[in-house]
Amino acid sequence: MAHCNDQTIDQLLSQAEQEGRCLIPPSAAIRKALLRRIGDMVVSPMPGLFAHKMRWDELNRAQRHCETIRALAIIHPDWTFCSFSAACLLGLEVSWRHLNVVHVCSATKPSARPGAHIQRHQIEPAGAIRRAGISVTPPIQTATDCLLQTGFADGMPIADSAISKLGLAPEQLTEAVEQRATARNGRAIRTALTTLRYADARAESGGESVARAIMIETGFAPDWLQYELTDPFDSAKPIRTDFAWERQARELTLGELDGLIKYTDQTMLAGRTTAEALVAERQREAHLSLYGHPLLRFTISEVRSAGVLAKKLQTAGIRQTALPTWLNEVDL
């Protein structure tokens, strides 16, 4: 019987994997067999849900979140997912720190129990849409909810990607935020409106959006995003850097956000091996160096560490402008 269960488990895990979701055990016996395999072979991201450990380890936080939601939607077809969970399903860039729990609409008061896997929000799911068979709050409502629940830095990837990926206009989002103003949420409204003021669809990743927000907050806002140069060895091939600052007339400092994802994520590798991607990046950097512009690299960990990115930018000779007073400048 145990051998039969092992075969069944492998089949069920493979099927769930193909459908992009966690496995929901079809019986108590299968669940017990899965629990016995937790460790080297199986993981349980949430009570009652399971996945192949090797594959789960290859997924990033957003991919894991979506696979968890797809399983929960089968168990609870009447649920409407909202906030950062809906944003994740809609393809928005969400800071991973907001994906530790699954966000669900609730008619009752919101829950915030420490250690809970589900966060219930007292949000009316009127006008909910279905995305791949899953009920989620509409794009404008989703983006607005997220902007009102987070700060400037974590709100920037939401705002940037809502414009670039969902085609929402900043004016639409601004109007939606303004309509949510109450006597008690003035600061959240101001922060959301300010985030939208600085939103830019040219950001190519959530990490870039967060980095730009930190730069703005510390007075080192970049002069250009996705600064483009021509490859010295191929005039038809552009080379872009994430950021660029003008230090003096015609003198630039280029900036790049480094991340392991472009060397490990299969989509970004596009059929290349990690070694091939690393070699290609070294060649790209060598071509950039022929222009003579300093290239400053930094990681998302440095971006998130208080003062580290600002110190690097300052050391690189980038001029610091007056610190923004934007929280006091937005008219409600």
Side-chain angles (χ1 to χ4, degrees):
M1 183 66 179
H3 177 67
C4 178
N5 274 342
D6 286 345
Q7 288 184 326
T8 303
I9 285 171
D10 288 337
Q11 292 171 355
L12 290 171
L13 285 169
S14 296
Q15 180 182 349
E17 193 173 304
Q18 292 170 5
E19 296 175 5
R21 61 173 176 82
C22 294
L23 169 61
I24 307 160
S27 69
I30 296 297
R31 176 172 178 146
K32 288 179 180 178
L34 283 162
L35 289 171
R36 287 195 298 270
R37 293 179 60 159
I38 285 180
D40 295 335
M41 299 289 292
V42 173
V43 295
S44 179
M46 187 177 291
L49 301 182
F50 300 87
H52 268 302
K53 184 179 186 304
M54 183 179 296
R55 178 172 178 276
W56 193 256
D57 289 343
E58 294 174 350
L59 302 179
N60 63 40
R61 185 79 61 84
Q63 291 168 331
R64 293 177 182 179
H65 196 73
C66 287
E67 297 218 347
T68 301
I69 291 173
R70 293 186 191 110
L72 289 173
I74 294 173
I75 301 172
H76 305 283
D78 58 326
W79 279 9
T80 294
F81 297 89
C82 63
S83 183
F84 301 108
S85 292
C88 201
L89 284 171
L90 290 170
L92 297 182
E93 296 287 344
V94 181
S95 293
W96 292 352
R97 64 174 71 190
H98 295 300
L99 300 179
N100 293 323
V101 296
V102 174
H103 302 269
V104 181
C105 291
S106 173
T108 60
K109 64 180 180 180
S111 66
R113 191 171 68 255
H117 295 281
I118 306 295
Q119 171 71 58
R120 300 184 185 278
H121 299 260
Q122 197 167 1
I123 295 175
E124 179 60 45
I129 64 171
R130 299 198 74 80
R131 179 58 60 96
I134 301 173
S135 179
V136 297
T137 48
I140 291 181
Q141 180 182 350
T142 298
T144 304
D145 288 341
C146 292
L147 288 170
L148 292 175
Q149 292 166 26
T150 190
F152 184 65
D154 282 351
M156 192 62 76
I158 295 289
D160 287 350
S161 58
I163 298 168
S164 63
K165 295 186 176 183
L166 299 184
L168 298 176
E171 296 77 16
Q172 286 178 286
L173 292 164
T174 296
E175 182 181 357
V177 168
E178 289 172 340
Q179 289 175 351
R180 301 277 286 275
T182 68
R184 294 189 298 176
N185 68 351
R187 184 174 180 84
I189 293 289
R190 286 193 294 273
T191 301
L193 291 176
T194 303
T195 304
L196 290 169
R197 177 191 293 181
Y198 285 96
D200 195 312
R202 290 175 294 174
E204 293 188 339
S205 72
E208 287 181 27
S209 298
V210 172
R212 189 175 86 258
I214 299 296
M215 293 169 192
I216 293 168
E217 286 184 317
T218 54
F220 292 98
D223 296 308
W224 293 277
L225 301 183
Q226 305 305 324
Y227 187 79
E228 189 170 296
L229 294 162
T230 301
D231 190 323
F233 298 101
D234 185 351
S235 60
K237 182 180 178 182
I239 305 179
R240 287 186 300 172
T241 61
D242 299 334
F243 309 100
W245 295 264
E246 186 175 13
R247 291 183 297 151
Q248 300 176 27
R250 304 187 69 177
E251 287 192 25
L252 300 176
T253 294
L254 308 177
E256 290 269 286
L257 176 65
D258 265 341
L260 290 175
I261 188 169
K262 60 185 176 184
Y263 305 118
T264 57
D265 185 276
Q266 294 303 313
T267 302
M268 298 188 73
L269 285 172
R272 299 178 299 175
T273 65
T274 295
E276 289 170 337
L278 285 166
V279 170
E281 182 60 24
R282 290 293 297 274
Q283 290 178 329
R284 173 179 170 275
E285 188 169 334
H287 293 190
L288 275 173
S289 69
L290 296 180
Y291 280 95
H293 302 311
L295 177 62
L296 178 66
R297 291 187 173 276
F298 44 87
T299 66
I300 194 63
S301 177
E302 290 174 320
V303 168
R304 291 288 193 184
S305 300
V308 173
L309 178 58
K311 181 65 175 177
K312 277 195 132 179
L313 295 170
Q314 192 173 44
T315 302
I318 297 168
R319 66 186 185 279
Q320 184 178 26
T321 59
L323 294 180
T325 56
W326 36 265
L327 275 180
N328 298 319
E329 293 176 350
V330 180
D331 295 326
L332 296 181

